[in-house]
Amino acid sequence: MHAGQQRSQIRPGLEVDIVLKQDQRTGKTTRGIVKDLLTNSPTHPHGIKVRLQSGQVGRVKTIVSTGADSSTS
């Protein structure tokens, strides 16, 4: 699934897994809530770059929940 590559599917409030810059080699993901979208193009092959509410910046790998349903942890 390549959900993190389309800007139209990502919006503030979504819970997502991102890969931080320093974790790109290992592929380790960090989970958080989207605060800002930083990629302006409609798609990006490595994932849309976002800022989480925690202030961390990375590229979206997977969308965990839509924000309305946060029962998944």
Side-chain angles (χ1 to χ4, degrees), residues 11-15 33 64-72:
R11 63 185 185 282
L14 284 181
E15 187 177 9
I33 306 295
V64 178
S65 75
T66 58
D69 173 24
S70 56
S71 61
T72 332

Side-chain angles (χ1 to χ4, degrees), residues 4-41:
Q5 296 179 344
Q6 294 195 346
R7 191 177 195 276
S8 61
Q9 295 180 335
I10 300 168
R11 63 185 185 282
L14 284 181
E15 187 177 9
V16 296
D17 285 334
I18 66 167
V19 175
L20 302 173
K21 181 76 170 176
Q22 64 266 29
D23 295 330
Q24 283 179 348
R25 289 182 183 205
T26 64
K28 177 180 171 280
T29 59
T30 302
R31 185 163 290 184
I33 306 295
V34 176
K35 181 179 178 185
D36 301 308
L37 278 72
L38 304 177
T39 299
N40 289 323
S41 61

